[in-house]
């Protein structure tokens, strides 16, 4: 009947309305839960402070002696890039006055190139290789010039300790003593021509290995035993590997600063060796003897007094 049909439709509509209300309440409840969850998460994020970095940006801690801790801090901005140190103070030289090719990418670039030798990148790479190799030789030479003379002057059993007397000592039939202090004396009975031949062979082999980018198997402290394959793909100027047993150049930023330190000390050594040769020619003595006299009497023995000595004043 129509009455039963109306009741049935009313019942369906009533249940449908309740269902919509329940869905609406569930939707509102879910929305409240989501909002509460995100607010809680946001509170957690804002309450959690960011961990402070141990070192400022661009600063690293380098290693100390023998690769241990305690080295100086490394700030590459001081040595590389547009804000690096230049060969003149900022009041006398503006970075904008530098040529474009002196951009601070090369270690030891202080913006000084009066002859314009750095315009060609390929030529710069060759010059850097020449400079670095000569710098390393000069650092070894400076130590080899001063140390034997200083040991001999302080009582060590060394013959020909002054650098320009070593060859003369051997040419007169003498021999050299090695490891005079503190390991004792190790005599060398070989004459000069044999020593020269051995040195030529050894240095020639080393230079051949370096130029070819290869090397023989061997052993290095800290690196242990290695075969010849360890030299494949290494940089010819900064090879690392067995040549860095302490791992001083493992960190790239510390390594970049070590490059600056090496070239700075190498340049100083090249100038020093030139000064040793000039002073020895003028005074007839080695650098250790000249230094000792200057320290004992700074005002009586210096560049002015030596050049102004009576025997060196030209006469007509």
């Amino acid at each position: 009947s129509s009455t039963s049909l109306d009741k049935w439709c009313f019942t369906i509509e009533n249940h449908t309305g309740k269902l919509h209300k329940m869905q609406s309440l569930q939707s509102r409840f879910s929305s409240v839960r989501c909002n509460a969850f995100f607010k809680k998460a946001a509170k957690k994020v804002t309450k959690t402070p960011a961990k402070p970095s141990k070192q400022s940006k661009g600063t690293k801690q380098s290693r100390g002696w023998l690769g241990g801790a305690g080295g100086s801090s490394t700030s590459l901005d001081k040595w590389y890039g547009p804000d690096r140190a230049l060969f003149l103070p900022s009041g006398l030289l503006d970075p904008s006055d530098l040529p474009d090719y002196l951009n601070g990418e090369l270690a030891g670039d202080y913006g000084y190139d009066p002859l314009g030798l750095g315009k060609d990148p390929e030529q710069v790479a060759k010059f850097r290789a020449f400079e670095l190799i000569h710098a390393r030789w000069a650092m070894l030479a400076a130590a080899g010039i001063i140390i034997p003379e200083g040991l001999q002057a302080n009582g060590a059993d060394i013959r020909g300790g002054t650098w320009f007397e070593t060859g003369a000592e051997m040419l007169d039939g003498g021999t050299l003593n090695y490891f005079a202090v503190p390991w004792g004396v190790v005599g060398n009975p070989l004459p000069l021509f044999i020593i020269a031949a051995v040195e030529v062979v050894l240095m020639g082999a080393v230079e051949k290995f370096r130029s070819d980018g290869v090397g023989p198997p061997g052993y290095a402290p800290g690196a242990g035993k290695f075969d010849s394959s360890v030299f494949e793909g290494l940089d010819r100027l900064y090879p690392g590997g067995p040549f860095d047993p302490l791992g001083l150049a493992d960190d790239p930023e510390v390594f970049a600063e070590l490059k600056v330190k090496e070239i700075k000390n190498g340049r100083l050594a090249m100038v020093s060796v030139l000064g040793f040769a000039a002073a020895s020619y003028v005074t007839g003595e080695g650098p250790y003897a000249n230094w000792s006299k200057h320290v004992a009497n700074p005002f009586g023995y210096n560049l002015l007094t030596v050049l102004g000595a009576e025997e060196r004043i030209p006469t007509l």
Side-chain angles (χ1 to χ4, degrees):
S1 64
S2 61
T3 306
S4 300
L5 181 62
D6 292 339
K7 289 182 179 179
W8 183 74
C9 292
F10 175 78
T11 303
I12 294 176
E13 290 177 356
N14 189 22
H15 285 290
T16 303
K18 290 181 179 180
L19 180 62
H20 281 302
K21 288 182 179 180
M22 290 178 63
Q23 289 178 346
S24 178
L25 289 173
Q26 185 178 7
S27 176
R28 291 180 183 179
F29 180 73
S30 299
S31 176
V32 170
R33 288 183 61 186
C34 290
N35 291 336
F37 174 79
F38 284 111
K39 285 182 180 179
K40 187 176 181 181
K43 288 181 180 179
K44 286 185 177 181
V45 171
T46 55
K47 286 183 179 180
T48 304
K51 294 183 179 180
S53 58
K54 294 182 179 179
Q55 296 168 339
S56 60
K57 185 178 180 181
T59 302
K60 289 279 186 177
Q61 191 73 20
S62 61
R63 299 192 180 188
W65 289 101
L66 300 179
S72 59
S73 60
T74 299
S75 180
L76 297 184
D77 293 339
K78 184 178 180 180
W79 309 115
Y80 295 91
D83 299 328
R84 70 191 185 281
L86 301 176
F87 71 98
L88 288 177
S90 57
L92 300 177
L93 178 64
D94 191 272
S96 60
D97 297 333
L98 299 178
D100 295 336
Y101 58 86
L102 297 179
N103 51 18
E105 293 182 358
L106 199 63
D109 178 7
Y110 287 89
Y112 185 76
D113 186 18
L115 301 180
L117 301 177
K119 294 180 179 180
D120 185 359
E122 295 183 0
Q123 199 70 16
V124 169
K126 292 181 181 179
F127 287 155
R128 171 42 56 99
F130 298 156
E131 181 186 29
L132 192 58
I133 293 174
H134 281 79
R136 290 168 177 171
W137 277 115
M139 287 188 282
L140 291 173
I145 289 172
I146 294 178
I147 293 175
E149 183 186 356
L151 293 176
Q152 185 180 27
N154 288 277
D157 185 14
I158 297 179
R159 293 188 296 272
T162 304
W163 68 275
F164 56 82
E165 295 177 352
T166 305
E169 179 75 19
M170 298 196 71
L171 287 173
D172 291 338
T175 56
L176 301 179
N177 291 338
Y178 294 106
F179 307 112
V181 175
W183 303 280
V185 176
V186 178
N188 171 36
L190 301 176
L192 178 61
F193 75 92
I194 294 182
I195 292 180
V198 171
E199 290 182 352
V200 168
V201 171
L202 291 178
M203 294 309 303
V206 170
E207 180 60 21
K208 184 68 167 57
F209 284 136
R210 187 197 67 80
S211 61
D212 294 343
V214 298
Y219 173 86
K225 292 184 178 181
F226 56 87
D227 54 18
S228 57
S229 62
V230 75
F231 298 102
E232 296 178 0
L234 294 182
D235 191 289
R236 295 187 180 184
L237 294 179
Y238 303 99
F243 298 100
D244 185 19
L246 300 179
L248 299 178
D250 289 345
D251 189 290
E253 293 191 12
V254 176
F255 180 38
E257 188 188 44
L258 290 176
K259 290 180 180 180
V260 177
K261 292 180 177 180
E262 181 184 33
I263 197 62
K264 288 176 66 177
N265 284 276
R267 288 168 178 171
L268 179 61
M270 288 188 283
V271 176
S272 299
V273 171
L274 179 61
F276 293 165
S280 298
Y281 175 78
V282 174
T283 64
E285 296 177 310
Y288 184 84
N290 291 326
W291 172 81
S292 300
K293 290 182 178 180
H294 173 70
V295 171
N297 186 10
F299 297 100
Y301 193 85
N302 52 55
L303 179 63
L304 296 178
T305 59
V306 169
L307 296 179
E310 186 176 349
E311 63 270 17
R312 293 189 179 88
I313 297 177
T315 57
L316 298 177

